[in-house]
């Protein structure tokens, strides 16, 4: 079985992003970029599945300009076998991404496509579900435990009510939640080795992907600021402040 | 013609508050025709509750044994069929299909959106007009205003922390509809383990007391539970406290946990990483208790108290 893992290049999660002063977007020039943390978790899980002998090959894929090759190389250094870049300019909305990954699914016929549950830039949380819909296969989203046996995956999902377990027939789309695992660190020799691993480049046009837009960003703004707070000196003062606000 | 379809969230017996909040978001769009669909084994009880909400035009009930558990693969084609063709002009199609951005809505609706062939607007926090919305991006460090093209339906989830629940006072008609899709057979519910059922629900509580890594142990959390009980508050936690195993993960508040908007939020022993602040930005009043005066939580706290939480929290409880 092959596992396809999708990696999105995003602003590193430690960076405090700033909205451009003209409201045209978020400042990304000269900002540290990384693999979306949820995608890293998805890749880690795929690698563990392979290391248990339950998959033969792990393929990483990303959509974007040549800069996404950095993240693909990092994925290869973590242990993926090969990488696919689908080159695309501009804004790639989730449905376009899902249509693109469907083309890769048709080419590669993976048993599992593993995505992060959401990208920490657009916070959309859509692509995995959309791919599963277009592929007409099961989805197990927000996974925090995955067990494979007899062509099925048993997946514990983090839902509002607690932990839900579902069973899905493979092939299926899984999306990772934060607690699925702790991704490994990349070691220097692996980075050197990763440079020799195959990285193929395709394009949206070659794959004949129809772009899906329909949602236009009009403007960006910083979040509303909370009013300046104050420090109190004692529990008594805290209680009287809360009473004055009518909260106690 | 603009018509809204809301897919109700419920546990089989009770309509969720998240659905009533989604209704408020829908009403903000200025569209009068709002239907609520209830998929359930026996939808009658939940349908009656939905019919009473102010602003609902019609409640559509779709009863089927398959709907005991909400599996996206089963529900998404059902929603697509119910939503109809927005371009048909026959009045059968909905221009807007909405769900709350709970884990249920996040799981189900993008699958339906893809079948319909459109992108989804995730997590609407403010409605500008019926096609223009504000939503948070970058862990709520930015807000983007988006506009949905006129020629496609608006498929969107509503950020429940940003809208008040719609009140009662309506008397919508209830219509029964047939299930139109079939069980694809490839996805099966196994089980669900809930958290502790005590106290108010974290997502909707008006007061929340959260603890962080500084609680030190699950026993250390006892003072959090005790204070919460005194305040009739829900208990929350930071990711660090969950990862350390002090509390179960459904208590996590933040970008990857729950996004909440209580009237009063206590952040105790929580430093205030941006991922945590995402979850509480809309809280009415934030109180921080922390021994580190430089902790980022004090930048957002309305009231801050610096000191040893193991002394201050019991003292606070004693003075309530």
């Amino acid at each position: 079985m092959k596992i396809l893992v999708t990696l999105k290049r995003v602003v590193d999660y430690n960076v405090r992003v700033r909205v451009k002063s003209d409201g045209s977007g978020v400042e990304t020039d000269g900002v540290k970029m990384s693999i979306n943390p949820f995608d890293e978790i998805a890749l880690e899980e795929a690698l563990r599945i392979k290391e248990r002998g339950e998959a033969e090959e792990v393929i990483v894929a990303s959509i974007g300009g040549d800069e996404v090759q950095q993240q693909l190389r990092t994925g290869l250094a973590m242990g993926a076998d090969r990488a696919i870049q689908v080159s695309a300019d501009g804004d790639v909305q989730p449905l376009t991404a899902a249509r693109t990954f469907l083309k890769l699914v048709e080419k590669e016929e993976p048993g599992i496509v593993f995505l992060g549950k959401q990208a920490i830039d657009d916070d959309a949380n859509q692509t995995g579900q959309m791919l599963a819909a277009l592929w007409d296969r099961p989805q197990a989203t927000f996974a925090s435990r995955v067990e494979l046996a007899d062509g099925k995956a048993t997946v514990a999902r983090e839902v509002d009510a607690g932990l839900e377990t579902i069973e899905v027939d493979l092939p299926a789309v899984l999306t990772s939640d934060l607690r699925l695992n702790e991704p490994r660190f990349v070691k220097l020799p692996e980075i050197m080795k990763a440079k020799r691993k195959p990285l193929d480049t395709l394009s949206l046009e070659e794959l004949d992907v129809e772009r899906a837009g329909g949602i236009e960003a009009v403007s960006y703004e910083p979040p509303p600021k909370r009013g300046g707070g104050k420090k109190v000196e004692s529990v008594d003062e805290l209680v009287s402040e809360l009473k004055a606000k009518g909260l106690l | 013609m603009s018509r809204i379809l809301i897919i109700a969230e419920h546990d089989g017996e009770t309509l969720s508050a998240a659905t009533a909040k989604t209704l408020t978001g829908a009403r903000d769009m200025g569209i009068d025709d709002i239907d609520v669909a209830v998929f359930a084994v026996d939808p009658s009880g939940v349908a009656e509750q939905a019919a009473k909400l102010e602003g609902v035009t019609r409640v559509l009930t779709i009863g089927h044994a398959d709907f005991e558990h909400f599996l996206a693969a089963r529900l998404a084609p059902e929603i697509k069929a119910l939503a109809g063709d927005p371009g048909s002009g026959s009045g059968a199609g909905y221009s807007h299909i909405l769900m709350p951005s709970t884990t249920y809505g996040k799981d189900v609706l993008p699958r339906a959106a893809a079948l319909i062939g459109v992108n989804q607007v995730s997590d609407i926090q403010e409605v500008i007009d019926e096609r223009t919305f504000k939503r948070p991006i970058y862990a709520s460090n930015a807000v983007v205003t988006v506009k949905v093209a006129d020629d496609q339906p608006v498929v969107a989830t509503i950020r429940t922390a940003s809208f008040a629940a719609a009140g009662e006072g309506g008397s919508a008609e209830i219509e029964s509809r047939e299930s139109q899709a079939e069980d694809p057979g490839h996805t099966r519910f196994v089980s669900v383990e809930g958290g502790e059922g005590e106290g108010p629900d974290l997502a909707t509580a008006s007061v929340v007391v959260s603890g962080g890594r500084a609680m030190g142990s699950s026993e250390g959390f006892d003072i959090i539970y005790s204070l919460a009980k005194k305040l009739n508050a829900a208990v929350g936690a930071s990711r660090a406290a969950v990862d350390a195993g002090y509390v179960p993960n459904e208590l996590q508040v933040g970008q990857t946990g729950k996004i909440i908007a209580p009237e009063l939020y206590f952040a105790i022993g929580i430093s205030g990483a941006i991922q945590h602040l995402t979850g509480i930005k809309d809280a009415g009043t934030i109180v921080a208790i922390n021994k580190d005066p430089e902790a980022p939580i004090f930048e957002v706290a309305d009231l801050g108290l610096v000191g040893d939480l193991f002394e201050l929290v019991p003292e606070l409880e004693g003075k309530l």
Side-chain angles (χ1 to χ4, degrees):
Chain A
M1 178 177 75
K2 294 180 191 174
I3 304 179
L4 177 67
V5 181
T6 66
L7 304 182
K8 188 175 185 186
R9 173 184 165 93
V10 298
V11 171
D12 187 87
Y13 77 102
N14 282 312
V15 173
R16 201 179 270 237
V17 301
R18 280 178 208 290
V19 175
K20 290 179 183 168
S21 52
D22 63 358
S24 65
V26 166
E27 196 59 71
T28 52
D29 287 347
V31 168
K32 187 185 176 201
M33 304 295 283
S34 301
I35 297 177
N36 177 44
F38 292 104
D39 301 352
E40 214 175 4
I41 292 169
L43 175 55
E44 174 65 34
E45 197 66 17
L47 296 171
R48 290 183 191 189
I49 290 168
K50 186 187 161 193
E51 284 158 5
R52 288 201 301 265
E54 295 168 350
E56 285 82 49
E57 190 180 30
V58 174
I59 307 163
V60 286
S62 189
I63 306 172
D66 287 349
E67 64 279 1
V68 305
Q69 292 185 7
Q70 277 176 29
Q71 279 63 45
L72 289 170
R73 290 285 174 205
T74 304
L76 293 170
M78 278 178 72
D81 298 287
R82 61 191 169 92
I84 304 170
Q85 175 201 356
V86 180
S87 58
D89 298 329
D91 183 29
V92 176
Q93 291 182 13
L95 185 55
T96 306
R99 287 175 177 169
T100 306
F101 295 140
L102 181 67
K103 297 286 184 181
L104 299 183
V105 162
E106 287 164 356
K107 271 171 90 83
E108 300 288 348
E109 300 183 338
I112 295 172
V113 183
F114 226 132
L115 301 87
K117 78 165 177 180
Q118 75 193 65
I120 61 164
D121 50 3
D122 66 9
D123 283 332
N125 197 332
Q126 300 177 29
T127 307
Q129 295 89 316
M130 289 182 153
L131 172 61
L134 301 178
W135 192 13
D136 199 15
R137 292 303 307 167
Q139 70 189 46
T141 51
F142 325 143
S144 66
R145 195 178 65 241
V146 176
E147 284 159 20
L148 303 179
D150 309 323
K152 294 190 281 278
T154 304
V155 181
R157 308 178 51 235
E158 297 205 8
V159 297
D160 292 331
L163 207 59
E164 178 187 271
T165 303
I166 62 172
E167 183 187 82
V168 296
D169 295 337
L170 300 181
V173 174
L174 310 185
T175 76
S176 60
D177 213 319
L178 205 58
R179 265 170 292 276
L180 182 58
N181 59 49
E182 190 80 40
R184 67 196 63 187
F185 287 106
V186 172
K187 298 186 196 80
L188 189 62
E190 304 297 333
I191 295 172
M192 302 311 289
K193 255 191 261 172
K195 287 183 179 159
R196 294 191 298 272
K197 288 186 180 177
L199 192 160
D200 293 331
T201 299
L202 301 162
S203 69
L204 286 186
E205 292 71 31
E206 273 173 83
L207 289 172
D208 197 23
V209 174
E210 191 195 341
R211 275 198 186 240
I215 298 176
E216 183 202 345
V218 179
S219 63
Y220 296 79
E221 62 195 286
K225 272 220 167 10
R226 295 190 65 92
K230 68 181 239 181
K231 289 221 172 99
V232 293
E233 297 301 323
S234 66
V235 169
D236 287 324
E237 198 187 333
L238 176 62
V239 171
S240 65
E241 287 280 351
L242 289 173
K243 280 189 174 149
K245 284 171 171 267
L247 290 165
L248 291 180
Chain B
M1 196 177 67
S2 295
R3 294 176 71 198
I4 295 180
L5 177 67
I6 296 173
I7 311 303
E9 179 183 65
H10 59 84
D11 62 4
E13 290 171 2
T14 310
L15 186 71
S16 77
T19 305
K21 292 175 172 191
T22 303
L23 175 59
T24 302
R27 297 188 75 190
D28 284 358
M29 295 175 193
I31 298 167
D32 293 333
D33 203 343
I34 302 176
D35 291 359
V36 175
V38 179
F39 292 93
V41 179
D42 173 8
S44 55
V46 174
E48 275 172 36
Q49 295 160 42
K52 282 191 195 129
L53 291 175
E54 179 90 50
V56 176
T57 311
R58 242 171 262 102
V59 177
L60 309 177
T61 61
I62 308 94
H64 197 289
D66 286 357
F67 301 145
E68 188 176 357
H69 307 291
F70 296 112
L71 297 171
R74 176 70 180 85
L75 278 169
E78 201 78 61
I79 293 168
K80 180 185 187 250
L82 190 61
D85 177 4
S88 69
S90 64
Y94 289 91
S95 59
H96 292 61
I97 302 134
L98 308 179
M99 287 182 81
S101 77
T102 55
T103 49
Y104 164 57
K106 288 174 180 175
D107 185 44
V108 173
L109 201 59
R111 189 165 180 126
L115 296 179
I116 293 166
V118 299
N119 279 298
Q120 173 186 286
V121 182
S122 296
D123 241 3
I124 291 175
Q125 68 179 51
E126 191 184 332
V127 174
I128 308 298
D129 63 38
E130 72 174 69
R131 293 194 164 264
T132 315
F133 313 102
K134 290 190 180 188
R135 60 174 301 266
I137 52 173
Y138 290 95
S140 292
N141 286 298
V143 176
V144 63
T145 301
V146 296
K147 187 168 189 331
V148 181
D150 290 332
D151 62 354
Q152 73 175 47
V154 174
V155 178
T157 58
I158 301 287
R159 187 187 202 208
T160 53
S162 303
F163 296 89
E168 293 193 349
S171 56
E173 46 187 300
I174 298 175
E175 290 175 20
S176 143
R177 296 286 165 91
E178 293 297 311
S179 159
Q180 298 177 70
E182 281 175 15
D183 185 353
H186 52 46
T187 306
R188 293 167 292 276
F189 174 86
V190 177
S191 64
V192 65
E193 298 162 47
E196 312 297 303
E198 241 179 275
D201 179 42
L202 176 57
T204 53
S206 58
V207 183
V208 172
V209 182
S210 277
R213 196 204 307 269
M215 306 319 298
S217 64
S218 39
E219 293 73 39
F221 248 84
D222 287 349
I223 59 170
I224 299 287
Y225 282 103
S226 181
L227 176 62
K229 200 169 177 188
K230 186 92 178 208
L231 288 160
N232 190 31
V235 171
S238 68
R239 182 184 166 192
V242 171
D243 283 350
Y246 302 164
V247 290
N249 56 38
E250 60 266 24
L251 297 193
Q252 187 181 323
V253 171
Q255 185 183 19
T256 58
K258 291 193 175 65
I259 293 172
I260 59 173
E263 285 170 43
L264 179 56
Y265 184 76
F266 288 87
I268 298 173
I270 292 176
S271 62
I274 52 178
Q275 291 83 1
H276 185 77
L277 300 183
T278 297
I280 59 166
K281 277 200 165 125
D282 295 321
T285 296
I286 298 175
V287 175
I289 302 179
N290 204 302
K291 69 172 191 296
D292 174 12
E294 304 300 322
I297 191 75
F298 288 117
E299 291 169 29
V300 299
D302 301 278
L303 294 166
L305 182 56
V306 178
D308 181 354
L309 60 92
F310 290 103
E311 287 169 18
L312 295 172
V313 174
E315 185 189 343
L316 173 62
E317 190 192 330
K319 285 176 175 163
L320 292 172

